[in-house]
Amino acid sequence: MTNVAASDTAISIRPATAGDAGTVHRLMRELAGHQGQEAGLSVTVDRLREFLGRPEVTYLLAERDGRALGYVSWFDRPSLWSGDDYLALDDLYVCAGERGAGVGELLMRAAAGLAAGRVIRWEVGESNKAAQRFYERIGATLTSKLICRWRVEA
């Protein structure tokens, strides 16, 4: 998809395929560990393989020399309020040793390029001040909204 020189070696950004399900799963486990939410991650590699084949689901992988450095993922969603489609960003994750080297910005800029003018919308934890600073630095507007979750057992 794109190659960008950063640090001394090129970083490539490309769409993840069903064959990347194991790599995506490993990165998601790292993210869950980073956020202290290991127990909440229950998706299997096989289920991720299915998701990666769906047209409304996109994962972009950042790689250097074939090694995954991070990812950004989203769903294409319609807004019933505006009547427009938007990208509902699910995750942005950069491996610990790569943070601060521009990988996150490359991933977000690649997502913006694929958004083709559509709004990108996502959530960030109130306590994640570093992420908030990063998002503001790339030009995002932060707004407050509470997130509600409701699981009704059958």
Side-chain angles (χ1 to χ4, degrees):
M1 182 175 160
T2 186
N3 286 311
V4 180
S7 299
D8 292 309
T9 46
I11 295 173
S12 63
I13 308 290
R14 67 170 179 86
T17 66
D20 295 309
T23 298
V24 170
H25 193 260
R26 176 183 57 80
L27 292 170
M28 290 175 71
R29 283 193 328 264
E30 287 180 23
L31 172 58
H34 177 70
Q35 294 178 335
Q37 296 181 11
E38 298 92 333
L41 182 65
S42 59
V43 70
T44 65
V45 172
D46 287 337
R47 186 68 171 139
L48 274 174
R49 193 172 291 113
E50 291 175 31
F51 284 146
L52 289 167
R54 292 172 62 168
E56 73 275 15
V57 175
T58 302
Y59 278 80
L60 295 181
L61 287 173
E63 298 176 317
R64 182 186 299 117
D65 299 325
R67 185 175 60 86
L69 309 176
Y71 74 95
V72 63
S73 60
W74 68 84
F75 304 91
D76 292 323
R77 293 278 168 98
S79 170
L80 299 177
W81 280 46
S82 72
D84 295 324
D85 291 332
Y86 69 98
L87 302 188
L89 193 118
D90 190 50
D91 288 325
L92 171 64
Y93 176 70
V94 176
C95 297
E98 301 295 335
R99 293 184 196 132
V103 176
E105 185 166 351
L106 290 174
L107 285 164
M108 289 298 285
R109 300 258 176 236
L114 291 173
R118 291 177 289 168
V119 168
I120 302 173
R121 184 174 174 193
W122 67 94
E123 302 165 2
V124 62
E126 284 186 71
S127 64
N128 194 343
K129 300 300 183 191
Q132 291 173 33
R133 285 190 303 272
F134 167 73
Y135 293 135
E136 287 177 324
R137 185 176 56 76
I138 65 170
T141 302
L142 303 181
T143 60
S144 295
K145 195 171 196 177
L146 295 177
I147 300 169
C148 302
R149 295 178 154 233
W150 184 23
R151 179 184 299 258
V152 179
E153 301 298 327

